[in-house]
Amino acid sequence: MSSVDLNSKIPNNVGLADDPKLQRALEKWLPNYLEWWHDMGPTDFEDKPVFLRTAISVERGGWANYDYVKMPDYRWGIFLAPNEGEPTIKCGDDAGTPAWLDVPGEHRNALRRIIVTQADTEPASVEQQRLLGHIAPSLYDLRNLFQVNVEEGRHLWAMVYLLHKYFGRDGRDEADELLQRRSGDADKPRILGAFNQPCDHWLSFFAFTMFTDRDGKYQLAALAESGFDPLARSTQFMLTEEAHHLFVGDTGIQRIIKRSAELQALDPNGDVRAQGGIDFELIQRTINYWYTYSLDLFGGEISSNASSFFASGLKGRFHEHRFEDHRAIEGEYRLPVVEGGKLVEKDVALRNAMNEVLRDAYVADCERVIARWNKTLETAGSPTRLSLPSRRFHRHQGIYAGHAFDPQGNLISAEEYEANRSRWLLVPEDNEYLLSIMKPCYEPGKFANWIAPPTKGIEGRPVEFEYVKLHD
Amino acid sequence: MQQPAASSPAPVDFEVEPEHYRHWKVAYEGPVARVTMEVDPEGGLREGYELKLNSYDLGVDIELADIVRRMRFEHPEVRVAVLRSGIDRVFCAGANINMLGQSSHAWKVNFCKFTNETRCELEDAAGSSQQAYIAACNGTTAGGGYELALACEEIYLQDDGNSAVSLPEVPLLGVLPGTGGLTRLVDKRKVRRDRADVFSTTAEGIRGNKAKQWGLVDDVFPRSRFDEKIAERAQAMAERMAAQVGKGSRVGVRLPRLTPEVEGRNRSYRHVTLTVDDQSRTASLTIAGPTADDVAILRKGGDAAHAAGAELWALRAYRELDDALLHLRVNNPTVGLVLVRTTGDAQTVLDHDAALVAARDHWFVREVLLHMGRVLRRMDNTSRSFFALGDAGTAFAGNLLELALASDRFYLLDDPDHVVHVGLSDLNEGALPMAHGPTRLQTHLYGEPDKLDGLVGNRALLEPEDADEAGLVTVRLDEIDWEDDVRIAIEERVSLSPDALTGMEQNLRFAGPETPESKIYARLSAWQNWIFIRPNATGPEGALTLYGRPERPSFDWQRV
Ligand SMILES: [Fe+2]
Ligand SMILES: [Fe+2]
């Protein structure tokens, strides 16, 4: 592909046309990316026109252009959110001083690691979701799935741009490796745990976009506070797209809850499964499973990495500008730790608790969504209420990993945990049941029995709009 | 002077038995031993840190040293030991940073020295005992973890897109990889120095094929085939090692606890006594030489020595000496001068040595000799002044003469009423080399080759005057001068700066060439010890001090 083609194919505001070095790097990478998309992206829908939103500029509204597009023709662009005024370092020892427009050598390795870790999650989720199109509950949902997929692809582009532009040969090597790792592969797994978990039905998809993409939102928001200006602006722009992913997850589960409540009322015994729906225990187990795997993504509760990222101004807190003290050199954070077989409160230096501070914001956000879901249940007249498990439950990272907790956060024995596992967490039989009820529903305006239709369609189109053209 | 308070933590015990390991599991399957590191985070030797991610402290390393030693004596059938981690995706994170951060300088230095000695002991097992260690790095292999792997014959890394080998000490902690990492990188694995430079300044390390290309590991295997590939490599290595071993089965010799009598800081073993005098900051270390009975056993040959097992004088006495030296180093920090005596009969020692050497075709006797060599090297590396005192009743001959040659000075009594004999055996001429290669005798007479030639092969007992003439004695004193001159020498010695003495002694003890092993101590450890006390590492704003803390280090940029 010539560089002229490249520039027209890749909408951008990073001066790609005048950057031969970047062009050369992307020219090499693009064919491998397309090959990866072909191999690991959504299967069997490559030739179908999908009503997709494409970002073509950073101007107002420029990020949301809707049209029918075949996914391999999607224009994966590279955008930096515009700066208002002179950018500064937002946190840490050098808060208030001018931001870095280039990578400072001192922080090169740390920044590369941060970017690679974020970048790795983008293709990973596409891989996790690649088979879901075959059992979509509606064309509306199918379209949403594909929208999420192409945007995760664009997020990969956004991160690869940073690696190519600012990290030299190492960066190019890392960009190549991003296309070589595979979600769930025993030998070449994705970097983070949640991105290697199977996501083989739509309940998990909605839970993933609700909980795991929401971790993404908070990671991106923390990186949007970075003193490395290109990273800050890149992630800021990604947040606009991420909001839609969260919407898909949040409303997806909300629509299932609504439908299950209807089926519960419909059935003489209040048995949702008897009506082919998804029972609330199963929904709760799904919440328990994906919420806790997503909590892991924030990293250790007490972390010297988190401290040094914050201190160096590489990664801030959620909405750093709302804090008064951006240095956070003093101050402590109290959290329960396991000591001698008991939970005791411990104070740690605030900087070392920055992962936990970010996790707090995330937990509060999740609580708000759960409250909305419970509102749905209340409106539908269902007595059931859903809840988030304790953040200590079912953890694989951090200070609670390796200890057994019940969903209320009480320390329990390993035996007790094992005995209750199938009540608390997804089990293989759950998957079997979900796969048995999830049959594709491809007729415009029709929805699978286990989910309610949305209240409105996309971009002013009606719910029965043909969001994906499966037939010419 | 700082005396350990009554409330100071319990003295470190260097003896441990497999049934009490907290951090390691060892499984023996014929010629293959599987050594699994699974450090108990709560099992630190001292309060105040958690041994997360297979990080280690002195207690963890004492167990490893025990494994390596028992492998040689108790499991001579083993040809290859596969070292791996019991924790998923983590091989070993190296020395525990919080432990280092909270430790005194002396503790850090003793810790590093001991871990270095353990790695040298492990590394030497392949060539000397045909027991090769293979590092099966089934996860992140960082810092001291990679240095442990470097001490092994072969290193294999799991290729899972994530597991890396790394030496993050310089970029992350502002100190050096202190257990031979830098030396072994360029000296043993012959990694190019420019690549070694890049590798040692990249905190996240290097993984996958690049690690193999650069020679940091011998191969990388995918996670799903890692165990199978390691088993193949272990098999091949076991065959290679077995080809170098004579026929016949070997039955191990158990090493029971030494159980000395302990009174305060004094320790009385069967053959060795260590007495500490806090007031004068001196200690007396006395070794009782072999008896005629010990010689008689050896004269019956290797099988008889093997039957005597751990009770054999040459093994028992040197195990005791080893334990005493370790206690001296770690539990008696203020003792500056050690007065070394060896009691017994000089001719009996020479007879003992001759019989021991005659039986050296037996694997067990060979192991005993290797062990004696290691203990003496531990003495060479001990940062205390040693004066050997050859007064009435002492027998500095043969292997016991090595103690005088390892000492910084040798005072010998010249009293016609109590003739103290000195003499050489084969053991002074090659079997017990120093870390830098030559024997203690060669090192001692490095500048007087004629005197060395005159001594080599001489098996006659030497009277004090002849010994002095031959260049073996620092100061020869008659019975009238002995008391006062020795007392004054001791008092003078303990009045000097302990730091300067440590540096001076280490410079004077190792005349002649260097080996990778001696470089590790002389170059790496010495630099490390300097860096450890520099403000850039351990000052209030130093990188090691602040690691894990909210503040960032700030350096004094002046190159020194
Ligand atoms: Fe994303
Ligand atoms: Fe997303």
Side-chain angles (χ1 to χ4, degrees), chain A residues 284-339:
Chain A
Q284 182 66 56
R285 284 200 293 281
T286 306
I287 294 171
N288 292 353
Y289 182 88
W290 284 104
Y291 171 66
T292 50
Y293 263 119
S294 305
L295 287 174
D296 278 340
L297 297 172
F298 287 82
E301 283 74 9
I302 306 168
S303 162
S304 47
N305 272 342
S307 170
S308 89
F309 291 167
F310 184 89
S312 317
L314 306 183
K315 190 176 173 185
R317 287 167 287 189
F318 184 64
H319 289 160
E320 182 66 41
H321 61 271
R322 291 192 190 161
F323 291 83
E324 245 166 54
D325 169 20
H326 298 299
R327 293 167 55 80
I329 188 78
E330 273 147 21
E332 293 187 317
Y333 185 98
R334 175 162 292 194
L335 79 173
V337 302
V338 183
E339 254 176 34

Side-chain angles (χ1 to χ4, degrees), chain A residues 122 125 148 151-152 155 208-209 213 216 220 241-242 245-246:
Chain A
E122 315 288 359
S125 62
V148 170
E151 282 173 355
E152 299 304 5
H155 291 175
F208 184 93
T209 39
D213 274 286
L220 293 175
E241 292 157 321
E242 208 60 48
H245 308 178
L246 306 187

Side-chain angles (χ1 to χ4, degrees), chain B residues 172-473:
Chain B
L172 228 50
L173 306 173
V175 298
L176 299 184
T179 39
L182 299 176
T183 314
R184 289 193 175 94
L185 214 51
V186 290
D187 249 297
K188 177 183 184 180
R189 297 198 64 91
K190 302 186 172 64
V191 173
R192 252 167 44 194
R193 62 165 274 201
D194 53 346
R195 286 176 165 174
D197 181 292
V198 172
F199 173 62
S200 309
T201 49
T202 307
E204 66 188 60
I206 290 178
R207 57 180 192 258
N209 271 323
K210 190 164 166 189
K212 183 185 173 185
Q213 259 169 32
W214 285 26
L216 302 170
V217 304
D218 290 285
D219 213 340
V220 290
F221 302 130
R223 186 175 154 86
S224 57
R225 301 190 61 202
F226 193 71
D227 292 351
E228 167 204 343
K229 286 286 182 187
I230 292 295
E232 273 173 29
R233 294 302 314 150
Q235 189 55 38
M237 177 67 90
E239 282 163 21
R240 210 168 92 205
M241 287 289 128
Q244 299 168 35
V245 173
K247 294 237 168 357
S249 69
R250 296 174 170 190
V251 178
V253 166
R254 231 187 82 64
L255 301 178
R257 278 186 87 88
L258 297 170
T259 57
E261 271 174 45
V262 179
E263 224 190 293
R265 304 198 294 132
N266 300 335
R267 303 175 74 84
S268 315
Y269 306 82
R270 188 182 306 160
H271 305 299
V272 173
T273 53
L274 175 70
T275 350
V276 175
D277 181 354
D278 279 329
Q279 212 56 47
S280 64
R281 284 178 279 115
T282 62
S284 289
L285 182 62
T286 306
I287 299 102
T291 62
D293 290 347
D294 295 317
V295 179
I297 291 171
L298 282 176
R299 283 190 171 150
K300 283 187 230 156
D303 287 341
H306 180 253
E311 298 307 303
L312 193 76
W313 179 87
L315 179 53
R316 172 108 201 175
Y318 275 77
R319 283 182 69 208
E320 294 176 355
L321 176 58
D322 200 33
D323 196 55
L325 286 169
L326 289 170
H327 277 273
L328 188 65
R329 279 183 184 178
V330 173
N331 297 326
N332 296 285
T334 55
V335 168
L337 173 61
V338 184
L339 306 170
V340 181
R341 285 189 184 78
T342 59
T343 61
D345 175 62
Q347 186 58 52
T348 309
V349 183
L350 296 189
D351 293 345
H352 166 274
D353 287 6
L356 192 64
V357 168
R360 72 186 305 174
D361 280 347
H362 196 286
W363 73 267
F364 172 67
V365 174
R366 242 179 0 258
E367 282 305 332
V368 169
L369 285 165
L370 288 166
H371 178 255
M372 293 166 81
R374 287 195 298 273
V375 175
L376 289 164
R377 288 198 287 280
R378 175 115 65 202
M379 181 169 168
D380 296 330
N381 265 333
T382 298
S383 56
R384 309 300 163 92
S385 302
F386 289 97
F387 284 0
L389 299 184
D391 50 6
T394 59
F396 283 102
N399 73 79
L400 295 179
L401 178 64
E402 289 295 307
L403 296 171
L405 295 170
S407 295
D408 300 294
R409 297 184 191 180
F410 181 22
Y411 287 86
L412 187 62
L413 174 70
D414 189 358
D415 177 357
D417 294 338
H418 305 277
V419 180
V420 183
H421 284 113
V422 172
L424 302 181
S425 77
D426 283 2
L427 295 189
N428 304 112
E429 295 175 8
L432 308 170
M434 295 179 73
H436 68 312
T439 64
R440 279 173 200 78
L441 190 64
Q442 286 165 339
T443 308
H444 185 77
L445 295 171
Y446 189 60
E448 295 169 272
D450 293 349
K451 288 211 162 119
L452 182 64
D453 287 346
L455 275 171
V456 167
N458 185 352
R459 297 291 173 264
L461 288 181
L462 305 176
E463 305 232 334
E465 195 180 338
D466 301 332
D468 193 9
E469 199 62 32
L472 291 172
V473 181

Side-chain angles (χ1 to χ4, degrees), chain A residues 65-203:
Chain A
N65 280 268
Y66 287 86
D67 204 351
Y68 282 109
V69 179
K70 291 176 185 166
M71 280 185 277
D73 301 332
Y74 183 83
R75 295 165 71 207
W76 284 287
I78 304 171
F79 298 105
L80 305 180
N83 264 333
E84 295 152 22
E86 285 295 297
T88 55
I89 296 172
K90 316 252 189 343
C91 63
D93 294 344
D94 304 320
T97 62
W100 303 293
L101 304 180
D102 216 325
V103 178
E106 188 190 350
H107 303 308
R108 187 174 192 273
N109 287 336
L111 277 169
R112 192 184 58 202
R113 190 158 127 215
I114 288 173
I115 292 170
V116 167
T117 307
Q118 175 62 40
D120 193 65
T121 66
E122 315 288 359
S125 62
V126 175
E127 289 163 4
Q128 283 168 295
Q129 297 160 11
R130 65 191 294 261
L131 297 173
L132 290 173
H134 293 287
I135 52 172
S138 72
L139 289 182
Y140 166 88
D141 289 292
L142 188 61
R143 178 262 163 208
N144 281 349
L145 167 69
F146 293 154
Q147 182 71 55
V148 170
N149 289 161
V150 293
E151 282 173 355
E152 299 304 5
R154 201 201 71 73
H155 291 175
L156 174 60
W157 273 84
M159 295 291 107
V160 164
Y161 158 71
L162 295 175
L163 291 170
H164 278 173
K165 171 89 180 165
Y166 295 101
F167 292 88
R169 214 182 90 184
D170 288 355
R172 291 200 296 278
D173 289 349
E174 292 285 4
D176 291 342
E177 285 188 46
L178 286 167
L179 298 177
Q180 283 156 17
R181 287 187 285 270
R182 291 285 182 273
S183 174
D185 189 302
D187 292 331
K188 290 263 174 198
R190 291 291 171 184
I191 296 171
L192 298 169
F195 293 90
N196 289 304
Q197 301 306 314
C199 183
D200 34 33
H201 50 69
W202 279 74
L203 183 57

Side-chain angles (χ1 to χ4, degrees), chain B residues 532-543:
Chain B
F532 268 156
I533 57 157
R534 293 277 302 155
N536 284 339
T538 51
E541 300 192 312

Side-chain angles (χ1 to χ4, degrees), chain B residues 16-35:
Chain B
V16 60
E17 285 172 318
E19 52 271 35
H20 297 126
Y21 290 164
R22 281 190 81 161
H23 310 294
W24 300 83
K25 292 190 193 82
V26 193
Y28 297 97
E29 293 154 20
V32 178
R34 296 161 60 80
V35 180

Side-chain angles (χ1 to χ4, degrees), chain B residues 28-32 71-72 74-80 131 250-252:
Chain B
Y28 297 97
E29 293 154 20
V32 178
M71 195 80 75
R72 295 174 119 157
E74 299 190 351
H75 303 278
E77 75 286 357
V78 170
R79 298 278 68 86
V80 59
Q131 288 187 337
R250 296 174 170 190
V251 178

